[in-house]
Amino acid sequence: GDGPRATQIIPEPGFVIKTKTLETNEKVFINMCRSTKVKSFKHEQNPADPTEIRMRIPLSLGPKRNDLDKSGEACIVYDVVFNTEVMEQAMQQNEFKEFLVGLALGWIMEKDGGGLDTEKWTLSKLRGNYKGKSPVMQTVRAEALVEEVEEEEEATDPAHLRHSAGGPAQV
């Protein structure tokens, strides 16, 4: 559950992608948002293989919402929040942007248990770079938060490892 260190944030828009559910072919918009309150990426050694460096990118996922697309059809909307610097890098580098989108899609599927089309997503040009009226407040888990006080983190803490967005990212 959310410990005392979870925090509510209102993210800033970044870019929007559109995909669909595999089961029902329903349209899905993912608002790729940014916040300085979410931790940036960090590189860490693989404990099993010190020559291998992994990159961990924390993210925060808001609750699923129902909305309508421009033709009035029902659609699903998610807000995924990354650190501001991470998002700025993604907006400049297409390969990194695709990597972040993959992380976001994987995390949504893991949390919601439904399949999304990870191959045929497209960038969606929406006013304000956000699907919805304006960014919705969401709660960021303690693990993904920027810590006001730098603490030593045990890399073996299972709670910490469990939230590494679907395992190590091979970059």
Side-chain angles (χ1 to χ4, degrees):
D2 288 327
R5 295 191 24 240
T7 296
Q8 303 234 291
I9 61 160
I10 295 182
E12 289 174 50
F15 59 93
V16 184
I17 68 150
K18 186 167 71 178
T19 184
K20 51 189 194 304
T21 61
L22 295 175
E23 289 83 3
T24 57
N25 223 18
E26 206 173 350
K27 208 179 276 187
V28 178
F29 288 91
I30 300 168
N31 291 313
M32 302 282 286
C33 303
R34 51 191 167 179
S35 169
T36 53
K37 293 265 189 257
V38 174
K39 279 183 191 167
S40 192
F41 49 77
K42 71 171 195 222
H43 292 91
E44 45 189 49
Q45 282 180 325
N46 180 350
D49 175 6
T51 61
E52 186 190 308
I53 301 290
R54 302 185 287 194
M55 181 162 67
R56 173 168 291 159
I57 302 181
L59 71 158
S60 181
L61 171 64
K64 175 178 177 173
R65 308 196 293 282
N66 294 304
D67 204 336
L68 299 174
D69 69 9
K70 59 179 184 285
S71 42
E73 299 281 317
C75 62
I76 299 167
V77 183
Y78 293 96
D79 291 357
V80 177
V81 189
F82 289 95
N83 173 272
T84 301
E85 282 172 30
V86 170
M87 281 294 289
E88 280 167 4
Q89 193 172 328
M91 287 155 115
Q92 289 156 8
Q93 300 176 5
N94 218 28
E95 225 170 284
F96 188 59
K97 180 186 269 185
E98 287 177 12
F99 176 70
L100 279 196
V101 169
L103 272 186
L105 290 167
W107 194 240
I108 290 168
M109 290 190 284
E110 190 176 311
K111 289 284 163 233
D112 268 10
L116 296 174
D117 192 330
T118 56
E119 299 295 312
K120 298 197 185 78
W121 59 269
T122 54
L123 285 171
S124 192
K125 294 271 177 270
L126 291 175
R127 192 183 322 124
N129 292 321
Y130 190 83
K131 174 69 183 160
K133 287 186 182 65
S134 62
V136 177
M137 185 179 282
Q138 67 166 266
T139 303
V140 180
R141 303 179 324 271
E143 301 93 296
L145 274 179
V146 169
E147 287 154 21
E148 303 306 320
V149 183
E150 278 302 308
E151 291 177 27
E152 282 298 309
E153 262 186 5
E154 261 309 319
T156 49
D157 173 14
H160 182 68
L161 295 173
R162 197 173 59 239
H163 290 298
S164 62
Q170 305 299 338
V171 177

